[in-house]
Amino acid sequence: MKKIKILFVCLGNICRSPMAEFVMRHLVEQNLLSDYIDVDSAGTSGWHDGENMHRSSYQMLKQHGIDCKNFVSKRLPENALQNYDYVAVMDDSNLSDVYQCLGYDSQRIFKLTDFCEDFDFVPDPWYTGNFFQTYHIINECCLNWIRKLKQDLGS
Ligand code: 4NP
């Protein structure tokens, strides 16, 4: 069976989308779905290409027992829709940047917060400093998404 490929996207690919990548991968592993779902992340800007994730994102993941080795920040590739099934972004600004880069596709490109009722976007801790809040929103959205994916996969 072909794997479902998920790409998380934010602006810098050092704070939010790496957090989402490792939270989701952790959930995929916990739910024994590694044979069915692949997870990756990228940034629209490319400003931090080649860097590790933000220290506070790393610490937030560590505190929650989530392994996050071998991360390298990278820019969103223009052919992403050829290699990924879903592109989940963090806010409206990411959404318009991604549409501009990849073309409009409302079925495959959407905000991660479409999977939760209480938030309309994932706040950027680069500006808010609140990595804790960002982690919890991401975690809730990913939990809801994995439930849906499990249903879709019939497992
Ligand atoms: P991210 O946060 O998009 O969640 O990775 C940012 C990281 C870096 C910058 C902005 C946002 N920056 O301006 O370098």
Side-chain angles (χ1 to χ4, degrees), residues 10-16 47-48 124 126-127:
C10 63
L11 176 62
N13 189 220
I14 55 168
C15 297
R16 294 167 295 174
W47 292 335
H48 297 274
D124 192 341
W126 178 266
Y127 302 109

Side-chain angles (χ1 to χ4, degrees), residues 26-154:
H26 184 71
L27 291 171
V28 165
E29 285 166 8
Q30 274 190 333
N31 285 277
L32 308 177
L33 294 174
S34 302
D35 287 345
Y36 307 100
I37 302 172
D38 269 348
V39 187
D40 200 357
S41 71
T44 55
S45 68
W47 292 335
H48 297 274
D49 280 6
E51 293 178 21
N52 202 342
M53 74 177 78
H54 194 289
R55 193 178 169 74
S56 300
S57 288
Y58 179 85
Q59 281 168 351
M60 199 53 58
L61 291 164
K62 271 276 198 194
Q63 274 171 28
H64 289 87
I66 298 175
D67 177 49
C68 44
K69 277 190 256 131
N70 303 326
F71 176 79
V72 181
S73 177
K74 62 177 178 290
R75 187 172 192 170
L76 175 70
E78 282 180 14
N79 65 351
L81 288 179
Q82 288 168 28
N83 298 320
Y84 299 96
D85 298 300
Y86 299 114
V87 178
V89 307
M90 303 296 140
D91 59 30
D92 287 303
S93 170
N94 301 153
L95 197 59
S96 57
D97 288 346
V98 170
Y99 282 152
Q100 201 165 357
C101 180
L102 306 183
Y104 180 74
D105 188 334
S106 63
Q107 298 297 306
R108 299 172 61 197
I109 304 170
F110 43 75
K111 285 192 286 185
L112 180 58
T113 48
D114 289 356
F115 290 102
C116 80
E117 286 177 4
D118 298 336
F119 300 93
D120 189 40
F121 66 97
V122 180
D124 192 341
W126 178 266
Y127 302 109
T128 67
N130 194 342
F131 285 78
F132 186 81
Q133 176 200 40
T134 293
Y135 173 84
H136 282 280
I137 296 171
I138 285 173
N139 190 49
E140 186 181 330
C141 294
C142 288
L143 275 168
N144 288 334
W145 194 1
I146 203 97
R147 279 192 200 110
K148 185 174 182 309
L149 286 165
K150 271 182 94 166
Q151 281 173 1
D152 295 348
L153 286 163

